[in-house]
Amino acid sequence: MKIMENAILTMKVRSTMQTRLSKTRLVILTVLSLLLEGCSISDWYNGYYAEGAAIIKGQKDRNAFYDAESPQIKDLRSKNDAYCRGLASKKENAMPMKGYPNGVFNTPMYDGCMENRGTPMYETYVSNRAKKRDAERRARGEIVPY
């Protein structure tokens, strides 16, 4: 009889310990699932992080481009900026756009003016570099000509 009581007592202790352990595991899993459900790692990395990293890299590249200019080029850029901005913002050069009866600032004219006067904008510089790279790759046969 004593052996039977000891066996029953041992089984109760084991089941209590197992229940406590499984409750702890359940709580941990529930907390982790709630945390990960709110913000998926792939969504964060592919969306927020990748976009933010690209913006920061672009800003650094842009600042490096303008900071590398000599003082003479910076002076020329400020003169060209004043001239081209005045030219592109004239009423007769305004680009027609729906909802704007007087048109909008002519950005393509401004960018072209700056490039023609010897101080291209960063975006134009990057675009020209990409065109050169594509032409070189076409010449080597890596890209099918268009």
Side-chain angles (χ1 to χ4, degrees):
M1 192 69 158
K2 190 76 167 168
I3 294 174
M4 192 66 146
E5 289 176 6
N6 284 341
I8 291 174
L9 210 94
T10 305
M11 288 175 63
K12 284 184 181 179
V13 169
R14 279 189 183 164
S15 69
T16 305
M17 288 177 62
Q18 287 174 346
T19 305
R20 190 176 314 146
L21 186 61
S22 63
K23 283 183 182 179
T24 306
R25 285 182 182 166
L26 182 63
V27 167
I28 290 172
L29 286 174
T30 305
V31 169
L32 282 175
S33 66
L34 287 174
L35 287 175
L36 293 177
E37 183 179 309
C39 59
S40 173
I41 296 299
S42 64
D43 290 345
W44 176 80
Y45 184 80
N46 292 333
Y48 175 79
Y49 175 76
E51 183 179 333
I55 290 170
I56 290 169
K57 183 184 180 308
Q59 288 173 342
K60 284 182 181 178
D61 292 346
R62 180 186 181 95
N63 290 340
F65 174 76
Y66 289 121
D67 290 342
E69 292 181 339
S70 67
Q72 294 84 9
I73 296 293
K74 287 182 181 181
D75 184 44
L76 179 62
R77 180 176 296 283
S78 65
K79 290 177 184 175
N80 288 347
D81 180 59
Y83 174 77
C84 293
R85 192 170 298 280
L87 184 66
S89 62
K90 286 184 178 176
K91 187 170 180 150
E92 61 268 15
N93 294 332
M95 292 179 64
M97 186 176 277
K98 186 177 179 180
Y100 295 91
N102 297 330
V104 294
F105 184 78
N106 196 336
T107 305
M109 178 182 272
Y110 174 79
D111 291 344
C113 176
M114 290 293 282
E115 185 176 3
N116 292 338
R117 294 179 67 87
T119 52
M121 302 302 293
Y122 174 72
E123 293 79 13
T124 309
Y125 167 75
V126 171
S127 174
N128 289 343
R129 222 173 52 189
K131 288 177 187 174
K132 280 184 183 178
R133 185 178 59 244
D134 288 348
E136 289 171 359
R137 290 182 66 196
R138 263 190 220 89
R140 288 193 303 255
E142 294 176 10
I143 299 178
V144 177
Y146 45 31

